[in-house]
Amino acid sequence: AQSVTQLGSHVSVSEGALVLLRCNYSSSVPPYLFWYVQYPNQGLQLLLKYTTGATLVKGINGFEAEFKKSETSFHLTKPSAHMSDAAEYFCAVSEPSGSEKLVFGKGTKLTVNP
Amino acid sequence: DTAVSQTPKYLVTQMGNDKSIKCEQNLGHDTMYWYKQDSKKFLKIMFSYNNKELIINETVPNRFSPKSPDKAHLNLHINSLELGDSAVYFCASSQVRGGELFFGEGSRLTVL
């Protein structure tokens, strides 16, 4: 069964600083990988996804992530944090040719300091 | 138009009661899901339906019963509510199994 580990339940950065949220996965088949963002009292919104093809994926709000098969990682980055980026971020993995369900990491709460 | 809509958004009830949460999607997707988010924000899949057929049933107490009258609707009925059922329940849909999920706004259930 697939699983996701998000290193760091809380990450704090200054406005304008680099954002790096870490995600490692395990999967027995080629995975699909996702990053979702959840603002307070809201549902989850897709930031970006990797299915096949280019391993560097660009998403909304200036975020991007790189699929590294050798490291089983899919870390999320943004060059310059904005106050509006403060939210909970979830990495997820699915096995489209396997269990066909999305399994989520435990989330990382991003705080952006002025 | 809201793509995935859930009702009610908030639900406060006593232990032992029965309650239902309704979900509708207008995206034309074949697959729908229920996820539970606990107080620590952990998201866990409960059920998945594909075109009205149950395809994923995680280890959920049988007090929880999903029902899909058609592929655009997936409802969740909970019998004999317990304190531990307090959580936010999210409905989601996807175009393909294991693909990108589109989430509703969530239904916050509080059991007193």
Side-chain angles (χ1 to χ4, degrees):
Chain A
Q2 72 269 47
S3 66
V4 175
T5 301
Q6 289 184 241
L7 286 175
S9 57
H10 288 84
V11 170
S12 183
V13 300
S14 298
E15 194 173 17
L18 171 72
V19 175
L20 171 60
L21 304 183
R22 298 178 187 274
C23 173
N24 288 88
Y25 70 91
S26 71
S27 175
S28 54
V29 300
Y32 285 179
L33 295 158
F34 307 84
W35 275 100
Y36 283 84
V37 61
Q38 184 179 27
Y39 298 102
N41 298 315
Q42 293 188 26
L44 281 81
Q45 179 185 2
L46 182 72
L47 273 178
L48 48 80
K49 64 182 177 184
Y50 168 81
T51 54
T52 58
T55 56
L56 182 62
V57 180
K58 294 187 186 300
I60 62 171
N61 301 337
F63 285 94
E64 62 181 40
E66 187 171 11
F67 169 57
K68 292 187 176 180
K69 184 179 177 182
S70 60
E71 298 176 9
T72 60
S73 69
F74 191 57
H75 302 329
L76 182 71
T77 60
K78 181 173 179 177
S80 177
H82 193 273
M83 297 296 289
S84 61
D85 294 327
E88 191 90 25
Y89 291 80
F90 294 91
C91 182
V93 62
S94 74
E95 296 180 337
S97 59
S99 69
E100 298 181 334
K101 63 182 180 182
L102 259 76
V103 172
F104 285 83
K106 294 190 174 181
T108 298
K109 184 173 182 177
L110 176 66
T111 301
V112 182
N113 302 306
Chain B
D1 279 347
T2 304
V4 182
S5 58
Q6 300 178 224
T7 53
K9 194 172 169 76
Y10 298 97
L11 205 51
V12 181
T13 190
Q14 301 286 331
M15 268 197 312
N17 284 350
D18 303 338
K19 289 293 177 187
S20 293
I21 307 172
K22 295 187 176 183
C23 179
E24 175 181 5
Q25 54 97 1
N26 63 7
L27 297 168
H29 292 166
D30 284 345
T31 310
M32 296 184 72
Y33 308 78
W34 279 110
Y35 276 81
K36 178 180 180 181
Q37 186 174 47
D38 63 23
S39 58
K40 295 184 179 180
K41 302 284 189 183
F42 183 54
L43 274 158
K44 186 167 167 46
I45 189 169
M46 300 173 69
F47 303 102
S48 174
Y49 271 73
N50 182 259
N51 204 8
K52 302 193 297 178
E53 180 186 350
L54 180 66
I55 56 171
I56 295 174
N57 185 350
E58 295 291 293
T59 50
V60 176
N62 57 16
R63 297 182 295 103
F64 290 79
S65 53
K67 281 192 171 52
S68 182
D70 56 61
K71 72 174 193 175
H73 295 84
L74 180 61
N75 304 323
L76 183 65
H77 187 75
I78 316 170
N79 290 325
S80 304
L81 279 156
E82 301 177 357
L83 293 176
D85 298 333
S86 294
V88 181
Y89 293 84
F90 284 101
C91 178
S93 71
S94 66
Q95 190 171 25
V96 297
R97 295 191 207 180
E100 174 189 349
L101 293 180
F102 292 78
F103 282 87
E105 293 276 300
S107 297
R108 182 177 294 276
L109 172 65
T110 303
V111 182
L112 304 174

